Amino acid sequence: MNGKAKIIDGKALSVELREKIRLQCTEFEKKNARKVGLAVILAGEDEASAVYVKNKIKACEESNIKSFAYYLPKTVSQNQIIELIDALNNDENVDGILVQLPLPKHLDEKLTLGNVTYKKDVDGFHCMNAGNLFLENECLAACTPSGIIELIKSTGEEIYGKNAVVIGRSNIVGKPVAMLLLQENATVTICHSKTADLKSITKTADILVVAIGKKEFVTGDMVKSGAIVIDVGMNRFEGKLYGDCNFEQIQLIASYITPVPGGVGPMTITSLMKNTLKAALEAHSGRA
Amino acid sequence: MNGKAKIIDGKALSVELREKIRLQCTEFEKKNARKVGLAVILAGEDEASAVYVKNKIKACEESNIKSFAYYLPKTVSQNQIIELIDALNNDENVDGILVQLPLPKHLDEKLTLGNVTYKKDVDGFHCMNAGNLFLENECLAACTPSGIIELIKSTGEEIYGKNAVVIGRSNIVGKPVAMLLLQENATVTICHSKTADLKSITKTADILVVAIGKKEFVTGDMVKSGAIVIDVGMNRFEGKLYGDCNFEQIQLIASYITPVPGGVGPMTITSLMKNTLKAALEAHSGRA
């Protein structure tokens, strides 16, 4: 492989996909005399969280989704946040409920998220959605993994029969993306901090997904020539954002690579919009 | 590696584990003035199914679990079987419900199994159990995968940090065993019919789990010297039972291997007993 890898532009792909979602949301509005709705809950004053929430609300506007923003003080009690979620679970104008993480420390994340009905769990975190993803049933799939599959498909390269290696085994990225790659008929290897001789495995990857949260951890010598490399990392260092991959090095070896920022990040939000639309259509089909 | 692999005796391990389960079931009976209970539903007259059901009922007897057997005619209607399951879901003497597969063709397997409450889903097939397994929460785990982990652990060899390769990606064996191996900190690769160059992958496996349902598909040249090989196959051919592995060849290369029969099979039933006890303890803790 000579020359530089093509950059998979997550931002441009997002613009394209959000336009399609917008058209479907507008159609939904015409049919049902209400907009698709997403409730966004932000507890506390974490700056990065505030930026993420702002981006999600902006994406709603672009997609013709009505957002309902709930800014709760960092002192909000466990009962109060659960009561709010309960009310939103029963609100027919709300199709999706997003609880921005991390929560203030005194709140129980599992308990809080567990109260979001799986039908409105547009993050795809609920056990029912994880289970249905695993069993290959219809579900609201975790957003970052869905976005990654779209990014890979946008290259026009086949996933079918390829060796895919995922570094990281979180419930929200590593494991679900492994399941989605498997559904696309890749042979899938899941690596993590306990993996022996990581490089010998990553060197076999036609598709390499890196989600470990370590700045520039994957270097050029770990990548197979011509691979598709998806960098899920978002590591802030001295005011700058870095991926989990050494972009400069890998760009000389891979055939495709996602940049950070502008790769996986925008696609995660696009998947969120897609899930909200899906939940709305599902809710409506149930009522019809 | 010279000499022959040690045989992992699933039958002997089962005897040992069922004795432990029996003691706990007897303790349960003393505390709660009733036995742990398993309902077994067999619809139709499939001969192999009848043998499996008989073995499960025998295992119940050995474990001091009360079995409730329901032999339904092959003409049973979808409504009738669902009504029975509903009644068993609400029966406080029944801790586990097992529907023997395959069902007669006119019955919908997914619909039927979907009616078993996840709290009594001792097969671990329900979406809630699959989801909780995936998310590493408490659950009733699929029986064959749990049994496989016990078989591997019985060798005394570490799973932590090893390369585990699973051939097969079914919802009841391949995918859940991959998740359990991952929880044990193995690096896990899932292979299947679309895998390119299978041998190059199986040759890297310190632990090889084969669950594809093809008689003696895995040959000696595909196995790494010193590997632990778990054969999930149950292929009947001219009246004899064969595994997915060529036992004679692999025995000369691996360090441990499970026989067919007498390996995974008995352990699957033992896991079923364990799940039934677990469901009983869980139901009781809920009532206390």
Side-chain angles (χ1 to χ4, degrees), chain A:
Chain A
M1 182 87 197
N2 286 315
K4 283 195 171 182
K6 288 181 194 152
I7 292 174
I8 310 179
D9 186 342
K11 225 167 161 177
L13 183 59
S14 280
V15 168
E16 194 185 314
L17 292 174
R18 283 183 206 174
E19 176 57 20
K20 284 187 192 160
I21 294 168
R22 193 182 63 77
L23 293 173
Q24 287 178 273
C25 286
T26 301
E27 201 183 322
F28 178 93
E29 187 182 1
K30 276 185 201 154
K31 269 196 192 157
N32 301 293
R34 72 165 180 92
K35 283 189 197 290
V36 174
L38 175 66
V40 182
I41 301 174
L42 174 60
E45 289 143 15
D46 184 75
E47 271 183 49
S49 291
V51 172
Y52 294 141
V53 162
K54 207 180 122 191
N55 288 339
K56 288 168 189 176
I57 290 175
K58 189 164 157 268
C60 282
E61 283 163 17
E62 288 167 19
S63 310
N64 192 25
I65 291 174
K66 187 172 166 64
S67 61
F68 303 86
Y70 294 86
Y71 299 100
L72 308 178
K74 67 180 175 207
T75 54
V76 62
S77 75
Q78 185 69 67
N79 274 349
Q80 284 170 324
I81 196 164
I82 287 179
E83 272 169 32
L84 172 61
I85 290 170
D86 267 351
L88 295 171
N89 280 341
N90 294 311
D91 185 337
E92 289 203 353
N93 290 310
V94 171
D95 300 295
I97 302 169
L98 177 130
V99 181
Q100 183 64 45
L101 301 178
L103 290 169
K105 280 179 189 163
H106 66 287
L107 298 177
D108 183 330
E109 183 180 305
K110 213 167 194 170
L111 178 67
T112 306
L113 294 179
N115 271 277
V116 176
T117 170
Y118 74 92
K119 296 184 177 182
K120 300 191 180 186
D121 166 44
V122 283
D123 264 329
F125 292 166
H126 193 287
C127 173
M128 283 289 283
N129 283 316
N132 278 319
L133 180 83
F134 180 80
L135 298 171
E136 300 180 34
N137 296 328
E138 270 299 307
C139 67
L140 297 170
C143 294
T144 301
S146 311
I148 290 169
I149 299 297
E150 298 268 16
L151 285 165
I152 298 169
K153 286 187 172 172
S154 77
T155 65
E157 300 288 327
E158 281 275 11
I159 299 176
Y160 190 105
K162 294 283 168 63
N163 288 340
V165 173
V166 177
I167 316 181
R169 53 170 162 172
S170 72
N171 284 340
I172 61 174
V173 183
K175 286 193 285 179
V177 81
M179 289 300 117
L180 292 177
L181 287 163
L182 192 64
Q183 282 180 36
E184 298 287 339
N185 293 300
T187 300
V188 180
T189 302
I190 309 173
C191 300
H192 45 79
S193 57
K194 310 301 185 293
T195 293
D197 196 4
L198 181 62
K199 184 176 157 179
S200 75
I201 298 170
T202 58
K203 285 289 267 185
T204 69
D206 303 308
I207 297 166
L208 181 62
V209 178
V210 190
I212 37 169
K214 287 185 184 172
K215 173 178 172 284
E216 301 189 326
F217 177 82
V218 173
T219 45
D221 59 315
M222 296 169 73
V223 175
K224 182 178 174 177
S225 173
I228 299 173
V229 179
I230 307 291
D231 187 346
V232 187
M234 297 263 270
N235 309 290
R236 261 169 232 283
F237 182 71
E238 296 184 350
K240 222 188 129 189
L241 204 59
Y242 292 84
D244 289 347
C245 294
N246 186 315
F247 186 88
E248 301 306 324
Q249 290 179 12
I250 294 173
Q251 204 184 9
L252 301 172
I253 294 153
S255 63
Y256 294 91
I257 184 168
T258 59
V260 177
V264 172
M267 285 301 292
T268 296
I269 298 184
T270 299
S271 298
L272 180 70
M273 300 299 113
K274 205 171 161 182
N275 273 349
T276 306
L277 170 62
K278 188 173 181 180
L281 292 169
E282 192 60 41
H284 185 75
S285 80
R287 276 174 220 157

Side-chain angles (χ1 to χ4, degrees), chain B residues 218-271:
Chain B
V218 173
T219 46
D221 60 315
M222 296 169 75
V223 174
K224 181 178 175 178
S225 173
I228 298 174
V229 179
I230 307 292
D231 188 346
V232 187
M234 296 264 270
N235 310 289
R236 260 168 233 284
F237 182 72
E238 295 182 351
K240 220 189 130 189
L241 204 60
Y242 292 84
D244 290 346
C245 294
N246 186 314
F247 186 87
E248 301 306 324
Q249 289 179 12
I250 294 173
Q251 205 184 7
L252 300 174
I253 294 153
S255 62
Y256 293 91
I257 184 169
T258 59
V260 176
V264 172
M267 283 302 292
T268 295
I269 299 183
T270 300
S271 298

